[in-house]
Amino acid sequence: MNDRLQGTLDLLVLKAVSLGEMHGYGILLRIEQISGGALTIEQGALYPALYRLERQSLLATRWGTSDNNRKAKFYSLTTRGRQQLEAEKQSWSRLVDAIATALRARTAEI
């Protein structure tokens, strides 16, 4: 994952899972897909994030069988997870807007 995106992993995971229940590897693929291939998450970063989000009651889990017939833990958003996703999306949008405004500043405007 790009160093500039540190701290956004939880947001990306919540967004990916909001699109439908999936297992960990599916979440990696979904993030890559929804970012147009621009973002790649390492498994070593994803699984601690999933565990943390589950501990915070933002993700619910169930054991099931993956497409390749293996036992896998599937993740879905809880109500609290949906609320957190919305709050983080709003916060992220405010930050992006503030940075964009700062980058458009010209000497004459200061």
Side-chain angles (χ1 to χ4, degrees):
M1 182 151 116
N2 189 318
D3 288 340
R4 285 181 246 165
L5 293 177
Q6 288 298 326
T8 61
L9 181 57
D10 290 0
L11 172 61
L12 292 169
V13 169
L14 292 173
K15 177 57 184 176
V17 175
S18 78
L19 300 172
E21 180 186 66
M22 64 190 73
H23 54 76
Y25 185 69
I27 294 169
L28 291 177
L29 296 177
R30 178 63 52 86
I31 290 170
E32 189 172 338
Q33 177 190 38
I34 64 177
S35 71
L39 301 174
T40 303
I41 309 300
E42 300 293 328
Q43 288 186 20
L46 177 67
Y47 289 98
L50 289 171
Y51 178 70
R52 182 177 58 254
L53 294 169
E54 182 182 358
R55 263 193 355 252
Q56 294 171 355
S57 300
L58 301 177
L59 294 178
T61 61
R62 72 168 181 85
W63 287 99
T65 304
S66 68
D67 292 339
N68 61 1
N69 212 25
R70 296 178 113 169
K71 186 176 179 180
K73 196 178 216 183
F74 285 79
Y75 298 87
S76 60
L77 279 187
T78 62
T79 299
R80 188 171 171 189
R82 288 192 188 287
Q83 293 167 344
Q84 183 68 23
L85 173 59
E86 286 307 311
E88 288 194 34
K89 281 171 38 179
Q90 290 174 13
S91 177
W92 181 252
S93 291
R94 284 191 302 273
L95 176 62
V96 169
D97 289 345
I99 291 171
T101 299
L103 292 175
R104 286 191 303 268
R106 299 173 189 245
T107 307
E109 298 170 348
I110 300 175

